Amino acid sequence: MVNLGDWNKEIAVEMAQSDDIELSEEHWDVINFLRDYFEEYQIAPAVRVLTKAIGKQFGKEKGNSKYLYSLFPYGPGKQGCRFAGLPKPTGCI
Amino acid sequence: MADDFEIPELPTYLEIPEINEGIMDGDGPFKSAEEFQIQLGFPGKKLRIGRKLLLIKWANLNLSIVLFKFFGCLCKMWRLY
Amino acid sequence: MDACVKCGACTDKCHYFLGSSDPKNMPVARQDLFRSVYRRHFTFAGKYFPKLVGAKDLNDEMLDDWYNYFHQCSQCRRCSVFCPYGIDTAEISMAAREVLDTVGIGQKYCNQILGKAITIGNNLGLPEPALRDTLLDLEEEIEEETGVAVKYPLDQKGSEILLITPSADFFAEPHIDGLIGYGKVFHQDGVRWTMSSYAAEGANFGMFIGSYDIMRKAALRIRKAALDLEVSRVMVGECGHAWRVAYSFWNTLTGVGAGASDEFGIKLQKQLDSRYPQPQHIIEYTYDLIQRGKLEFDKSKNDHRVVTFHDSCNVARATNMGGIPNGQFILPREVIKAVCNNYVDMERSTIMESTFCCGGGGGILTDDLMEIRIKGAMPRMQALKEVEKSNAVDTLVAICAICKSQFSKVLPKFNFEPDMIVSAHQLVSEAIIMDKPEISDSEIEADTAKIKEETKETETSK
């Protein structure tokens, strides 16, 4: 994907299908959070920030990386950001 | 590109491997897009290798080495006399 | 270039050769890629009898080979430790990458990151609000956990210490636990410290692509930040090549240390406190506090771990710590031993000055090079396997952002736990005993009244 604006929900669904994942409500919660955060800070959130914020918004039992990994087996940062159409941050990470 | 290879087994401690000619040929990172190159002051596209340009660049790189060698020669000559 | 006698001492020292078994990954062969072209153009014999001396033209084919194989070198310099002539392959691969960049074929990973470092101020491209938000989150978390209000100041003018740490410390696991450790140590010492949003990056990829100019561009942000924030000490966080750049180059690049010749460099030199080493590594600082008995630890907090230390190549072979010979090996180990009871070293030939690289250094920590990264990590994994068998080691400590990222990706491939890799200051953070602030009774009463009110409010709103 070239432009951030090109993203829409169908694209996310399609990308998830190619990874054998069906997007549930919980997935959309995370994806929407990722996009909101990106809009505010112009960068994808760190995994720690993500887990904490998810925990705050959707209940403590969801605020851990295990839950996020169960949603996105290839990593909430990596796969989640791809579905959300955000650039993956690069650096010493 | 990154997924279709075998992860080596851990052999006994520090074994020197059999030589496998050319097994890593072609394993280079993605090339940089034009904008990132230009941002750093490099040419955006691959230049046709004008030998002169390269030589000039390289001569600059090697200048310090050449000077050092020259200095070494001077020192040697000093000893001879 | 001409000193090499092809003795072969370096061949089995390169972790990439050991892992990949490609003969072109022998350091001598890597140099030969460069040497053959140099001979063709710069020596008499090479100009007129190229075949006799193995000289080759620099053509497209050769450039491709350069591109591949000079990006299969992490510039760790293990081979040069064993070279009887002291030929530094890292220096050669840096020069080769500079030539590659000059003819317009640069590597995406390094160049993209350098662009961000030069324009935004850190490799990750974290803008100031994101940075501030992350730090606030961190403060909250620590206060919840320990009950102590550890602060992470950003851009605070007039602080004593400016901490320059790799931006991965703000972002990635397990790096961020190291950052928590720094904060706790600073808090215990009671020193006024700050980070800068303008220069929130210690790592300097200009070194990896061999360009002094770009290295300088990236480093000048640090000088500006230090001048603007009027700090008297500059400190470097846990990052391998950042410490190398700081230790060996900052003095002339930025004026941190002695030897700068330009106006601002001299100004900065005057501003910095000469009673302290400039720049100082965070490990040196913590070690010094431990020596002076300023920090107290509950070592048993780390009793569930058996720890070993991975010397990061740039720290081990290019720098020093604490001003004592071999300080770069002794200090981190002393810090670790001070905070945990179970420490073992790996096999002697794979640590200290002959340490194996993690396999991801030198600007090749990118997913499209996963194959060489995994293969290059093999020797280190072998050594780790050995101590795992003999001493049940379950924790690997590193003081380099790249090492930490690389290991957390690579460890699972070799059947280790990915969270085995931790930051040295994570151990410090877990064992440190924090002074709790004394709370007066009236404050507690006020607090409980507040909480009661809040619960009432929420109940009524429901």
Side-chain angles (χ1 to χ4, degrees):
Chain A
M1 197 164 4
V2 189
N3 284 318
L4 282 177
D6 293 348
W7 183 85
N8 58 36
K9 292 202 166 182
E10 281 90 65
I11 291 181
V13 172
E14 219 166 273
M15 276 201 268
Q17 260 167 8
S18 69
D19 282 10
D20 288 332
I21 294 175
E22 206 166 303
L23 292 182
S24 62
E25 270 306 296
E26 285 87 17
H27 285 99
W28 284 114
D29 286 342
V30 177
I31 289 175
N32 287 335
F33 174 80
L34 285 172
R35 283 192 73 84
D36 289 347
Y37 189 95
F38 188 88
E39 226 153 75
E40 193 174 346
Y41 296 116
Q42 297 304 307
I43 188 161
V47 177
R48 207 187 190 88
V49 175
L50 179 68
T51 45
K52 216 175 149 208
I54 294 290
K56 254 187 197 167
Q57 277 185 20
F58 306 107
K60 275 236 161 106
E61 73 283 355
K62 292 181 179 176
N64 56 54
S65 52
K66 245 190 204 149
Y67 167 73
L68 286 171
Y69 269 94
S70 72
L71 290 180
F72 301 100
Y74 288 102
K78 216 170 160 187
Q79 210 174 16
C81 283
R82 203 158 61 82
F83 292 171
L86 306 176
K88 196 176 70 125
T90 51
C92 308
I93 56 161
Chain B
M1 180 183 183
D3 286 322
D4 51 1
F5 56 86
E6 274 182 18
I7 296 162
E9 281 275 328
L10 293 183
T12 40
Y13 195 60
L14 279 196
E15 201 172 82
I16 296 162
E18 296 270 318
I19 284 179
N20 260 323
E21 197 87 44
I23 192 169
M24 297 306 286
D25 261 355
D27 192 68
F30 294 136
K31 302 219 162 111
S32 168
E34 230 171 278
E35 45 174 309
F36 302 127
Q37 288 276 93
I38 292 168
Q39 204 171 10
L40 300 179
F42 295 126
K45 276 194 192 125
K46 182 178 172 185
L47 302 179
R48 286 191 58 231
I49 307 173
R51 195 179 280 176
K52 257 188 195 160
L53 182 131
L54 258 185
L55 288 187
I56 291 166
K57 181 67 200 171
W58 215 347
N60 283 338
L61 270 181
N62 280 310
L63 192 66
S64 51
I65 301 170
V66 172
L67 280 178
F68 185 71
K69 273 191 187 163
F70 181 66
F71 178 71
C73 283
L74 280 184
C75 289
K76 260 188 207 163
M77 279 160 77
W78 182 257
R79 264 198 206 156
L80 285 178
Y81 287 110
Chain C
M1 279 283 94
D2 288 321
C4 177
V5 293
K6 311 273 161 84
C7 69
C10 59
T11 51
D12 57 346
K13 303 303 185 291
C14 178
H15 49 295
Y16 290 122
F17 171 64
L18 289 173
S20 71
S21 70
D22 189 320
K24 278 194 189 155
N25 269 331
M26 295 175 176
V28 55
R30 211 185 301 282
Q31 295 162 14
D32 264 349
L33 288 175
F34 203 84
R35 187 160 24 230
S36 53
V37 178
Y38 152 79
R39 287 236 166 104
R40 180 76 180 90
H41 296 293
F42 290 95
T43 62
F44 175 77
K47 266 181 194 161
Y48 300 104
F49 316 103
K51 282 206 174 134
L52 270 181
V53 289
K56 282 179 193 149
D57 271 315
L58 184 60
N59 49 24
D60 280 353
E61 216 173 289
M62 194 56 157
L63 272 180
D64 280 344
D65 254 7
W66 274 33
Y67 192 74
N68 292 335
Y69 285 101
F70 285 118
H71 288 112
Q72 291 179 27
C73 167
S74 64
Q75 310 174 339
C76 77
R77 314 206 302 163
R78 187 168 194 263
C79 47
S80 37
V81 170
F82 296 93
C83 176
Y85 287 88
I87 299 171
D88 187 345
T89 314
E91 216 57 56
I92 292 170
S93 92
M94 285 174 200
R97 287 189 198 175
E98 193 183 9
V99 172
L100 284 170
D101 265 321
T102 316
V103 297
I105 29 180
Q107 177 211 5
K108 182 182 165 199
Y109 176 72
C110 280
N111 288 3
Q112 191 182 5
I113 284 177
L114 269 168
K116 284 189 281 184
I118 290 170
T119 51
I120 303 174
N122 59 68
N123 287 354
L124 275 163
L126 284 168
E128 197 233 319
L131 204 57
R132 202 171 285 278
D133 183 65
T134 310
L135 294 177
L136 275 178
D137 253 20
L138 217 55
E139 282 176 7
E140 255 176 49
E141 195 183 316
I142 296 173
E143 189 157 8
E144 252 172 50
E145 221 168 79
T146 62
V148 183
V150 177
K151 290 284 164 218
Y152 284 85
L154 190 64
D155 295 332
Q156 245 170 43
K157 223 176 170 180
S159 301
E160 190 183 339
I161 297 175
L162 169 65
L163 178 72
I164 302 287
T165 194
S167 57
D169 280 0
F170 305 115
F171 200 85
E173 308 279 346
H175 309 60
I176 203 159
D177 290 298
L179 183 64
I180 293 176
Y182 312 155
K184 286 185 178 171
V185 170
F186 284 130
H187 181 88
Q188 271 314 91
D189 188 30
V191 75
R192 273 159 37 97
W193 67 290
T194 187
M195 287 175 283
S196 160
S197 61
Y198 181 76
E201 183 61 67
N204 194 330
F205 278 35
M207 181 165 169
F208 294 156
I209 63 165
S211 166
Y212 186 83
D213 287 340
I214 292 170
M215 190 156 89
R216 184 176 157 82
K217 251 189 214 165
L220 281 185
R221 288 185 83 98
I222 293 165
R223 178 172 85 187
K224 184 161 184 307
L227 284 171
D228 286 349
L229 296 170
E230 294 168 5
V231 293
S232 57
R233 298 165 71 179
V234 180
M235 204 170 283
V236 183
E238 291 182 9
C239 178
H241 73 284
W243 181 234
R244 180 177 183 192
V245 174
Y247 183 85
S248 320
F249 298 99
W250 266 9
N251 54 354
T252 49
L253 283 176
T254 65
V256 181
S261 50
D262 60 316
E263 183 193 341
F264 293 103
I266 291 166
K267 192 174 157 201
L268 182 58
Q269 270 171 27
K270 279 186 189 148
Q271 184 189 312
L272 296 177
D273 193 336
S274 59
R275 286 171 302 166
Y276 298 99
Q278 302 287 2
Q280 193 175 24
H281 195 281
I282 187 87
I283 289 277
E284 290 179 300
Y285 175 73
T286 308
Y287 175 76
D288 178 51
L289 289 181
I290 293 172
Q291 292 294 304
R292 287 192 283 136
K294 276 213 165 189
L295 302 178
E296 276 179 53
F297 298 105
D298 177 8
K299 280 183 163 189
S300 64
K301 285 269 172 63
N302 281 320
D303 269 355
H304 62 287
R305 301 176 186 279
V306 184
V307 181
T308 190
F309 180 66
H310 163 79
D311 287 280
S312 304
C313 41
N314 270 312
V315 176
R317 282 188 280 267
T319 66
N320 183 265
M321 276 184 203
I324 47 173
N326 291 335
Q328 74 272 37
F329 312 129
I330 299 165
L331 261 60
R333 284 181 171 75
E334 285 304 312
V335 169
I336 294 168
K337 282 177 191 162
V339 298
C340 67
N341 285 317
N342 317 316
Y343 178 82
V344 257
D345 262 327
M346 283 179 273
E347 152 82 31
R348 178 63 180 86
S349 64
T350 70
I351 54 167
M352 301 207 181
E353 75 284 345
S354 48
T355 182
F356 271 116
C357 170
C358 60
I364 66 169
L365 189 79
T366 158
D367 283 351
D368 40 308
L369 285 174
M370 215 30 153
E371 178 173 4
I372 195 70
R373 275 170 64 187
I374 289 175
K375 288 182 171 171
M378 201 193 73
R380 170 48 81 220
M381 293 294 118
Q382 281 178 317
L384 187 61
K385 197 64 138 191
E386 292 285 308
V387 284
E388 195 199 30
K389 271 188 214 151
S390 59
N391 298 71
V393 166
D394 60 2
T395 304
L396 178 64
V397 179
I399 50 167
C400 165
I402 290 180
C403 294
K404 291 174 211 164
S405 302
Q406 157 78 351
F407 281 136
S408 55
K409 282 259 172 69
V410 165
L411 281 168
K413 311 268 186 211
F414 291 97
N415 300 324
F416 295 102
E417 290 295 321
D419 54 3
M420 189 174 178
I421 172 78
V422 301
S423 162
H425 272 78
Q426 182 178 343
L427 296 182
V428 173
S429 147
E430 275 165 26
I432 198 166
I433 300 173
M434 307 285 286
D435 299 331
K436 295 235 161 106
E438 285 178 26
I439 307 169
S440 62
D441 288 345
S442 57
E443 272 179 54
I444 292 176
E445 272 169 29
D447 268 358
T448 44
K450 223 185 194 178
I451 291 165
K452 267 181 194 169
E453 259 175 43
E454 274 170 15
T455 46
K456 256 185 198 171
E457 267 173 31
T458 47
E459 271 168 23
T460 48
S461 67
K462 272 179 187 171

Short mmCIF file of all heavy atoms in Angstrom, two decimals, chain A residues 12-38:
data_model
loop_
_atom_site.label_atom_id
_atom_site.label_comp_id
_atom_site.label_asym_id
_atom_site.label_seq_id
_atom_site.Cartn_x
_atom_site.Cartn_y
_atom_site.Cartn_z
N ALA A 12 -8.32 -4.56 4.90
CA ALA A 12 -7.90 -5.25 6.13
C ALA A 12 -8.44 -6.67 6.15
O ALA A 12 -7.72 -7.62 6.46
CB ALA A 12 -8.38 -4.47 7.35
N VAL A 13 -9.70 -6.82 5.78
CA VAL A 13 -10.31 -8.16 5.77
C VAL A 13 -9.58 -9.07 4.79
O VAL A 13 -9.24 -10.21 5.10
CB VAL A 13 -11.81 -8.06 5.41
CG1 VAL A 13 -12.39 -9.44 5.21
CG2 VAL A 13 -12.56 -7.32 6.50
N GLU A 14 -9.27 -8.49 3.62
CA GLU A 14 -8.58 -9.28 2.61
C GLU A 14 -7.21 -9.72 3.09
O GLU A 14 -6.81 -10.88 2.95
CB GLU A 14 -8.45 -8.42 1.35
CG GLU A 14 -8.66 -9.19 0.06
CD GLU A 14 -8.86 -8.22 -1.07
OE1 GLU A 14 -10.00 -7.79 -1.31
OE2 GLU A 14 -7.85 -7.86 -1.69
N MET A 15 -6.47 -8.77 3.68
CA MET A 15 -5.14 -9.09 4.18
C MET A 15 -5.21 -10.17 5.24
O MET A 15 -4.39 -11.08 5.27
CB MET A 15 -4.48 -7.83 4.77
CG MET A 15 -3.82 -6.98 3.72
SD MET A 15 -2.60 -5.91 4.45
CE MET A 15 -3.54 -4.46 4.78
N ALA A 16 -6.22 -10.06 6.10
CA ALA A 16 -6.37 -11.05 7.17
C ALA A 16 -6.69 -12.41 6.58
O ALA A 16 -6.17 -13.44 7.03
CB ALA A 16 -7.47 -10.62 8.12
N GLN A 17 -7.51 -12.41 5.52
CA GLN A 17 -7.85 -13.69 4.91
C GLN A 17 -6.62 -14.39 4.35
O GLN A 17 -6.46 -15.60 4.49
CB GLN A 17 -8.88 -13.47 3.80
CG GLN A 17 -10.28 -13.81 4.29
CD GLN A 17 -11.34 -13.31 3.33
OE1 GLN A 17 -11.02 -12.83 2.24
NE2 GLN A 17 -12.59 -13.43 3.74
N SER A 18 -5.74 -13.61 3.73
CA SER A 18 -4.54 -14.22 3.19
C SER A 18 -3.64 -14.75 4.30
O SER A 18 -2.77 -15.58 4.07
CB SER A 18 -3.78 -13.23 2.30
OG SER A 18 -3.25 -12.21 3.09
N ASP A 19 -3.83 -14.29 5.52
CA ASP A 19 -3.08 -14.82 6.67
C ASP A 19 -3.91 -15.83 7.46
O ASP A 19 -3.53 -16.22 8.57
CB ASP A 19 -2.66 -13.69 7.63
CG ASP A 19 -1.47 -12.94 7.09
OD1 ASP A 19 -1.11 -13.18 5.91
OD2 ASP A 19 -0.88 -12.12 7.82
N ASP A 20 -5.05 -16.24 6.90
CA ASP A 20 -5.93 -17.23 7.55
C ASP A 20 -6.48 -16.74 8.88
O ASP A 20 -6.54 -17.48 9.85
CB ASP A 20 -5.22 -18.57 7.76
CG ASP A 20 -5.03 -19.29 6.45
OD1 ASP A 20 -5.86 -19.06 5.55
OD2 ASP A 20 -4.05 -20.05 6.31
N ILE A 21 -6.83 -15.48 8.95
CA ILE A 21 -7.43 -14.95 10.18
C ILE A 21 -8.76 -14.32 9.82
O ILE A 21 -8.87 -13.61 8.80
CB ILE A 21 -6.53 -13.88 10.83
CG1 ILE A 21 -5.24 -14.51 11.31
CG2 ILE A 21 -7.24 -13.22 12.00
CD1 ILE A 21 -4.27 -13.51 11.85
N GLU A 22 -9.78 -14.60 10.63
CA GLU A 22 -11.04 -13.91 10.41
C GLU A 22 -11.13 -12.80 11.45
O GLU A 22 -10.96 -13.03 12.65
CB GLU A 22 -12.19 -14.89 10.58
CG GLU A 22 -13.41 -14.47 9.79
CD GLU A 22 -14.40 -15.61 9.69
OE1 GLU A 22 -14.04 -16.69 9.20
OE2 GLU A 22 -15.53 -15.40 10.14
N LEU A 23 -11.38 -11.60 10.97
CA LEU A 23 -11.35 -10.46 11.89
C LEU A 23 -12.61 -10.40 12.75
O LEU A 23 -13.72 -10.31 12.24
CB LEU A 23 -11.20 -9.16 11.10
CG LEU A 23 -9.86 -8.98 10.39
CD1 LEU A 23 -9.80 -7.65 9.67
CD2 LEU A 23 -8.69 -9.09 11.35
N SER A 24 -12.40 -10.45 14.07
CA SER A 24 -13.54 -10.40 14.99
C SER A 24 -13.65 -8.99 15.57
O SER A 24 -12.83 -8.12 15.26
CB SER A 24 -13.34 -11.42 16.11
OG SER A 24 -12.17 -11.07 16.81
N GLU A 25 -14.63 -8.79 16.44
CA GLU A 25 -14.77 -7.51 17.13
C GLU A 25 -13.47 -7.10 17.80
O GLU A 25 -13.04 -5.96 17.69
CB GLU A 25 -15.87 -7.63 18.21
CG GLU A 25 -17.27 -7.31 17.76
CD GLU A 25 -17.39 -5.94 17.11
OE1 GLU A 25 -17.14 -4.96 17.79
OE2 GLU A 25 -17.70 -5.87 15.90
N GLU A 26 -12.86 -8.09 18.49
CA GLU A 26 -11.64 -7.78 19.25
C GLU A 26 -10.54 -7.29 18.33
O GLU A 26 -9.78 -6.39 18.67
CB GLU A 26 -11.18 -9.02 20.03
CG GLU A 26 -11.98 -9.35 21.26
CD GLU A 26 -13.18 -10.23 20.97
OE1 GLU A 26 -13.23 -10.84 19.88
OE2 GLU A 26 -14.09 -10.28 21.82
N HIS A 27 -10.44 -7.93 17.16
CA HIS A 27 -9.43 -7.49 16.21
C HIS A 27 -9.66 -6.03 15.83
O HIS A 27 -8.74 -5.24 15.79
CB HIS A 27 -9.48 -8.34 14.94
CG HIS A 27 -8.90 -9.70 15.11
ND1 HIS A 27 -9.67 -10.81 15.32
CD2 HIS A 27 -7.62 -10.14 15.11
CE1 HIS A 27 -8.90 -11.88 15.43
NE2 HIS A 27 -7.64 -11.50 15.31
N TRP A 28 -10.94 -5.71 15.57
CA TRP A 28 -11.22 -4.34 15.14
C TRP A 28 -10.91 -3.33 16.23
O TRP A 28 -10.45 -2.24 15.95
CB TRP A 28 -12.69 -4.21 14.70
CG TRP A 28 -12.89 -4.82 13.35
CD1 TRP A 28 -13.64 -5.91 13.04
CD2 TRP A 28 -12.31 -4.37 12.12
NE1 TRP A 28 -13.54 -6.19 11.70
CE2 TRP A 28 -12.74 -5.25 11.10
CE3 TRP A 28 -11.46 -3.32 11.77
CZ2 TRP A 28 -12.35 -5.13 9.77
CZ3 TRP A 28 -11.07 -3.19 10.45
CH2 TRP A 28 -11.52 -4.09 9.46
N ASP A 29 -11.16 -3.72 17.49
CA ASP A 29 -10.81 -2.82 18.59
C ASP A 29 -9.34 -2.43 18.52
O ASP A 29 -8.97 -1.26 18.61
CB ASP A 29 -11.07 -3.51 19.94
CG ASP A 29 -12.57 -3.60 20.23
OD1 ASP A 29 -13.32 -2.85 19.59
OD2 ASP A 29 -12.95 -4.41 21.09
N VAL A 30 -8.50 -3.46 18.33
CA VAL A 30 -7.06 -3.20 18.29
C VAL A 30 -6.70 -2.38 17.07
O VAL A 30 -5.95 -1.40 17.15
CB VAL A 30 -6.28 -4.54 18.30
CG1 VAL A 30 -4.79 -4.28 18.19
CG2 VAL A 30 -6.57 -5.32 19.56
N ILE A 31 -7.25 -2.76 15.94
CA ILE A 31 -6.90 -2.06 14.69
C ILE A 31 -7.33 -0.59 14.77
O ILE A 31 -6.56 0.30 14.39
CB ILE A 31 -7.56 -2.75 13.48
CG1 ILE A 31 -6.86 -4.10 13.24
CG2 ILE A 31 -7.47 -1.89 12.24
CD1 ILE A 31 -7.49 -4.93 12.16
N ASN A 32 -8.53 -0.37 15.30
CA ASN A 32 -8.97 1.03 15.41
C ASN A 32 -8.11 1.81 16.37
O ASN A 32 -7.79 2.98 16.12
CB ASN A 32 -10.44 1.08 15.88
CG ASN A 32 -11.37 0.66 14.76
OD1 ASN A 32 -11.02 0.79 13.58
ND2 ASN A 32 -12.52 0.13 15.12
N PHE A 33 -7.70 1.15 17.46
CA PHE A 33 -6.81 1.85 18.39
C PHE A 33 -5.50 2.21 17.70
O PHE A 33 -5.00 3.33 17.84
CB PHE A 33 -6.51 0.98 19.61
CG PHE A 33 -5.49 1.60 20.51
CD1 PHE A 33 -5.85 2.60 21.39
CD2 PHE A 33 -4.15 1.23 20.44
CE1 PHE A 33 -4.90 3.21 22.20
CE2 PHE A 33 -3.20 1.83 21.24
CZ PHE A 33 -3.58 2.81 22.13
N LEU A 34 -4.95 1.26 16.94
CA LEU A 34 -3.69 1.51 16.23
C LEU A 34 -3.83 2.71 15.31
O LEU A 34 -2.96 3.58 15.27
CB LEU A 34 -3.29 0.28 15.42
CG LEU A 34 -2.74 -0.91 16.19
CD1 LEU A 34 -2.57 -2.11 15.27
CD2 LEU A 34 -1.40 -0.57 16.83
N ARG A 35 -4.93 2.78 14.59
CA ARG A 35 -5.10 3.89 13.64
C ARG A 35 -5.28 5.23 14.36
O ARG A 35 -4.75 6.25 13.94
CB ARG A 35 -6.26 3.61 12.69
CG ARG A 35 -5.89 2.61 11.61
CD ARG A 35 -6.91 2.55 10.52
NE ARG A 35 -6.90 3.72 9.63
CZ ARG A 35 -6.08 3.85 8.59
NH1 ARG A 35 -5.22 2.92 8.31
NH2 ARG A 35 -6.14 4.90 7.84
N ASP A 36 -6.02 5.19 15.47
CA ASP A 36 -6.20 6.44 16.24
C ASP A 36 -4.88 6.94 16.77
O ASP A 36 -4.56 8.13 16.69
CB ASP A 36 -7.16 6.20 17.41
CG ASP A 36 -8.59 6.01 16.93
OD1 ASP A 36 -8.82 6.30 15.75
OD2 ASP A 36 -9.42 5.54 17.72
N TYR A 37 -4.12 5.98 17.31
CA TYR A 37 -2.83 6.37 17.89
C TYR A 37 -1.94 6.96 16.81
O TYR A 37 -1.28 7.97 17.01
CB TYR A 37 -2.16 5.14 18.52
CG TYR A 37 -0.92 5.45 19.33
CD1 TYR A 37 -1.01 5.63 20.71
CD2 TYR A 37 0.32 5.58 18.72
CE1 TYR A 37 0.12 5.91 21.46
CE2 TYR A 37 1.45 5.86 19.47
CZ TYR A 37 1.33 6.03 20.83
OH TYR A 37 2.45 6.31 21.57
N PHE A 38 -1.96 6.31 15.64
CA PHE A 38 -1.10 6.79 14.56
C PHE A 38 -1.50 8.20 14.13
O PHE A 38 -0.67 9.04 13.87
CB PHE A 38 -1.17 5.84 13.36
CG PHE A 38 -0.17 6.17 12.30
CD1 PHE A 38 1.10 5.63 12.36
CD2 PHE A 38 -0.48 7.03 11.26
CE1 PHE A 38 2.05 5.93 11.40
CE2 PHE A 38 0.46 7.35 10.30
CZ PHE A 38 1.73 6.80 10.37
#
